[in-house]
Amino acid sequence: MNNDKSKIKVMVGLSGGVDSAVALALLQKEGYDVHAGFMRNWDAIANNDFSGNPTLLDPACPQEVDYDDALKVANKLGVTLHRVDFIKEYWDDVFMYFLAEYEKGRTPNPDIFCNKYIKFDAFLNWAKKLGFDYIATGHYAKKIVKGDEVFLAKSLDQDKDQTYFLSQLSKTQLESTLFPLGDITKTEVRAIAKALHLAPATKKDSTGICFIGERQFRDFLKNYIPAQQGVIVDINNGKTIGFHSGVYYYTLGQRRGLGIGGLKDYDENKRWYVCKKDVVKNILYVANDDHDAHLLSDKITLTDINFINGEIENGTTINVKFRYRQADQKATFYRNEQGAYLVFPTPYLAITPGQAAVFYLDDICLGGAIIADLYFKNNKIN
RNA sequence: UGGGGCAUAGCCAAGCGGUAAGGCAACAGACUUUGACUCUGUCAUCUCCCUAGUUCGAAUCUAGGUGCCCCAG
């Protein structure tokens, strides 16, 4: 059976981290004709990424450290490493969207669009042009093939499941992809990397926006969206209780960075949470309770609706994740002339416009959408 | 310029003679391929507005300053 797979050419996206390194090793072991591709999609200097960037003074650019790690892995496994840049594509298709969303007062999820437009589009097409049959990544997700149909499913390691970030993929994109880590745990991945003496075996998982990295977020945004000071208002009594440096920089449900504390006549044990952003008036509304009624919604409208295997029937109740690593919650999907929306059996807390609502039926990821407006008892609240 | 009250960390605040609670904020770390949430830790020592005194010992008592608040002008 190795003969069959040896004729299948797979381009593995190799990031320099453990996950993609092990993905590569596993596919190679299975007998595929594997190559590796290292992407560079962000140029900190060219993209004016200075403020809030902790790596500027590093002796070696972190991307080059990652490249070195990727190269070590490729060399260790005897695999050819290609290198490709999608800096323009990332800027145009992901980062412009990201900034436009923030300017509207929303909280976008760039990594979802990075997958949709870069890894599973620009990178996939690049690989196809080079004659590859598939791309593969180190995502924790399963691709399940049943006859002619292909499904996206949660990874075996439920704690690491990354289908949330893959919710905007099309069936076509999925068909050309392999997820070698879908059936193993993170612990096993680390163990395999160690056993094979792969350089990133003990490397810390990377976080922050994919391809950009860890940033002091508010300062990072200030490179592109200028600070505009304004007031912070208690949504429950309209009183000004503080000042912010720009409503754009905050997320609904956020607590940190408000600088409000020790106000008289308030419960001293309670913290303040962002519950509304008025971009036009530049007002940030907050509430003094993590369960304040103003944080609740019972219906949300959706844009960018994507069903991987065809749209579900109007009125179907499904499981939905509104943020990464959140427990699934019940919601009923509706679509009419006005658009699509979800209705909840009970009000949910701090749902954030711009983030993804991702649909599940058991372990199958049906697709997802982007959260538009929030409603509570039929009143728009965002 | 008569009377009364209060001055403790960025903010709120406990403490009532025995060697500075707690909360919020902030910061750091953990978690995390977005942004958040969450969790853990740190955070007053020529220290409790200043000065002098009483005392073995004072944030706590006394006197005098200084500042703020309230009532009466």
Side-chain angles (χ1 to χ4, degrees):
Chain A
M1 64 185 222
N2 266 12
N3 277 342
D4 295 327
K5 288 184 176 173
S6 70
K7 290 176 183 160
I8 300 174
K9 289 166 68 76
V10 182
M11 175 64 79
V12 181
L14 200 60
S15 69
V18 244
D19 296 330
S20 57
V22 171
L24 175 63
L26 291 175
L27 290 176
Q28 182 186 46
K29 193 180 172 193
E30 279 193 65
Y32 288 100
D33 177 9
V34 289
H35 284 221
F38 180 87
M39 274 176 271
R40 178 166 171 269
N41 301 327
W42 185 254
D43 182 331
I45 308 297
N47 292 351
N48 195 41
D49 172 20
F50 300 116
S51 176
N53 185 341
T55 65
L56 280 175
L57 297 176
D58 288 4
C61 168
Q63 290 164 329
E64 295 311 315
V65 173
D66 288 340
Y67 179 72
D68 284 346
D69 287 335
L71 193 57
K72 284 178 191 166
V73 170
N75 287 341
K76 186 87 186 171
L77 298 173
V79 169
T80 306
L81 180 64
H82 305 253
R83 179 163 173 155
V84 61
D85 284 17
F86 296 112
I87 290 169
K88 184 180 187 308
E89 288 85 347
Y90 186 88
W91 182 272
D92 291 346
D93 298 334
V94 180
F95 206 67
M96 284 290 94
Y97 153 82
F98 170 82
L99 293 182
E101 285 286 279
Y102 267 109
E103 281 166 354
K104 289 178 200 157
R106 293 150 58 92
T107 305
N109 189 321
D111 288 356
I112 285 183
F113 287 87
C114 175
N115 285 329
K116 181 183 172 104
Y117 293 117
I118 306 299
K119 290 178 187 166
F120 296 88
D121 189 73
F123 181 72
L124 173 60
N125 288 330
W126 169 79
K128 291 238 163 173
K129 273 184 194 156
L130 290 178
F132 287 84
D133 299 298
Y134 293 98
I135 60 165
T137 68
H139 283 103
Y140 288 83
K142 278 191 214 181
K143 173 186 172 184
I144 296 174
V145 181
K146 281 184 185 169
D148 292 343
E149 198 63 1
V150 53
F151 297 93
L152 178 65
K154 290 180 183 175
S155 60
L156 174 85
D157 191 334
Q158 296 275 329
D159 195 49
K160 295 298 294 184
D161 173 51
Q162 288 171 322
T163 50
Y164 186 85
F165 293 105
L166 303 170
S167 55
Q168 285 289 330
L169 295 191
S170 67
K171 186 162 75 175
T172 310
Q173 287 171 308
L174 192 58
E175 282 168 346
S176 299
T177 302
L178 301 175
F179 295 123
L181 305 187
D183 288 305
I184 60 175
T185 65
K186 181 80 189 194
T187 310
E188 291 174 289
V189 166
R190 290 261 179 214
I192 291 167
K194 198 174 174 188
L196 296 177
H197 300 101
L198 299 179
T202 56
K203 191 175 175 181
K204 192 182 185 307
D205 287 353
S206 64
T207 55
I209 299 172
C210 206
F211 296 115
I212 297 180
E214 295 262 33
R215 294 290 182 272
Q216 292 180 38
F217 205 74
R218 210 184 307 179
D219 289 333
F220 173 69
L221 279 183
K222 282 179 184 171
N223 289 310
Y224 312 99
I225 302 174
Q228 195 182 350
Q229 300 204 323
V231 295
I232 299 177
V233 170
D234 178 353
I235 198 166
N236 283 300
N237 64 17
K239 286 183 183 165
T240 296
I241 56 172
F243 300 89
H244 65 77
S245 55
V247 288
Y248 310 108
Y249 310 140
Y250 296 86
T251 294
L252 257 62
Q254 178 169 345
R255 163 163 90 88
R256 307 240 166 206
L258 293 171
I260 305 169
L263 263 44
K264 269 188 180 296
D265 304 322
Y266 285 101
D267 185 334
E268 63 174 19
N269 294 300
K270 288 189 173 175
R271 301 139 160 195
W272 292 89
Y273 292 86
V274 174
C275 53
K276 182 174 174 153
K277 298 164 69 171
D278 187 329
V279 178
V280 176
K281 293 181 183 167
N282 198 31
I283 298 173
L284 194 64
Y285 291 94
V286 296
N288 191 26
D289 190 317
D290 59 354
H291 281 66
D292 190 274
H294 293 92
L295 287 166
L296 295 172
S297 54
D298 55 19
K299 171 183 155 184
I300 63 172
T301 55
L302 304 170
T303 60
D304 300 84
I305 296 134
N306 177 55
F307 282 100
I308 296 167
N309 306 96
E311 184 157 324
I312 58 175
E313 202 175 316
N314 200 28
T316 308
T317 296
I318 49 176
N319 289 325
V320 181
K321 254 188 231 309
F322 299 98
R323 16 166 66 84
Y324 180 51
R325 289 175 62 81
Q326 179 190 52
D328 291 6
Q329 295 179 275
K330 295 278 179 205
T332 305
F333 176 83
Y334 293 98
R335 178 163 217 162
N336 59 26
E337 311 75 49
Q338 276 81 42
Y341 57 99
L342 293 175
V343 174
F344 315 143
T346 57
Y348 294 152
L349 214 47
I351 291 183
T352 305
Q355 290 289 297
V358 177
F359 313 143
Y360 296 92
L361 195 61
D362 296 324
D363 283 348
I364 302 293
C365 177
L366 303 170
I370 298 301
I371 298 161
D373 292 319
L374 315 179
Y375 291 81
F376 186 56
K377 294 179 177 169
N378 283 320
N379 293 312
K380 184 169 171 287
I381 59 168
N382 60 308

